[in-house]
Each structure stands twice: as C-alpha cells, then as structure tokens.
Amino acid sequence: MSPTARREVLTVKEVAELLDLSRNGVYLGAKRGEIPNVTVGRRVLFPRRAIEQWLAVRGTESKRVPDVGSPLR
C-alpha cells in the first residue's frame, strides 16, 4: 500500500501516535469504551471515520464554557 493511501481502519500503534498516548493507554481506552473500536479476533482496530468523529466531538467539548457549579471557573 502506498504511503498516501488512506486506510479505513487504524491500528493501536497509529491511534497511539495520533492521540499522543502509549499503546497501553489506547488499549485501556478501547476496553473502557472511551475510544471507538472494533475487535476482530484478538486484534483491536479503530475505524478511521469513528476516530475522526470522536476527535471532533471531543474537541468541541473541550471548548465549552464550564458549568456555573464547576470548580474550573
């Protein structure tokens, strides 16, 4: 596969690099259901579209103004 080809699924290593996490951190996030993933046999894979949407949502959440009762005023 050429380096410019866009694959539909990402590996744990690729997601770890994208999110600046350790591989163990990615596995843990996937196990907890925090990072969208699919399991095929023993492999954990990450659909590219799901990761992109997940990042977009998380990006907008971090820009929200904290609630009045939040300690982060």
Side-chain angles (χ1 to χ4, degrees), residues 45-66:
L45 299 171
F46 303 84
R48 180 181 295 277
R49 283 190 193 141
I51 293 295
E52 289 171 350
Q53 290 172 351
W54 178 75
L55 285 171
V57 168
R58 292 185 57 89
T60 59
E61 286 175 354
S62 66
K63 294 176 186 172
R64 290 185 186 158
V65 176

Side-chain angles (χ1 to χ4, degrees), residues 23-34:
R23 288 176 52 178
N24 286 340
V26 173
Y27 278 119
L28 184 59
K31 182 178 179 179
R32 290 179 176 169
E34 297 169 351

Side-chain angles (χ1 to χ4, degrees), residues 1-13:
M1 184 177 290
S2 72
T4 59
R6 185 174 159 101
R7 294 187 3 252
E8 293 300 316
V9 294
L10 302 172
T11 64
V12 171
K13 180 181 177 184

